[in-house]
Amino acid sequence: LMARGRASLDAALEVGVMIETVDIEDLQRLLASDGLPRDVDRVAGNLLKGSQNHLASFERLLAE
């Protein structure tokens, strides 16, 4: 991914989209787990919001 992202700005943004998409899927799967401690649930929820914001930014920049 590092080499692919170095090719151009658009390539870097596309890699960002890929990474955030995987992160969101992983975090959603974690949050769907039963019995998470409250602090872990809160941190994972905050990370999910951050990844969603990053994804939206990458997608917006790609659309420009």
Side-chain angles (χ1 to χ4, degrees):
L1 292 175
M2 296 277 294
R4 183 174 174 181
R6 287 189 187 108
S8 68
L9 177 57
D10 280 350
L13 294 170
E14 289 168 359
V15 168
V17 167
M18 291 172 48
I19 291 169
E20 294 302 343
T21 300
V22 170
D23 286 351
I24 289 168
E25 291 169 358
D26 289 345
L27 289 164
Q28 287 173 331
R29 194 172 14 263
L30 175 65
L31 289 166
S33 303
D34 291 330
L36 284 179
R38 285 180 35 198
D39 57 341
V40 173
D41 186 72
R42 184 173 45 250
V43 169
N46 288 336
L47 289 170
L48 177 60
K49 289 176 190 173
S51 286
Q52 290 167 333
N53 288 336
H54 294 158
L55 177 59
S57 295
F58 289 136
E59 290 176 333
R60 180 179 43 80
L61 289 168
L62 277 169
E64 291 181 357

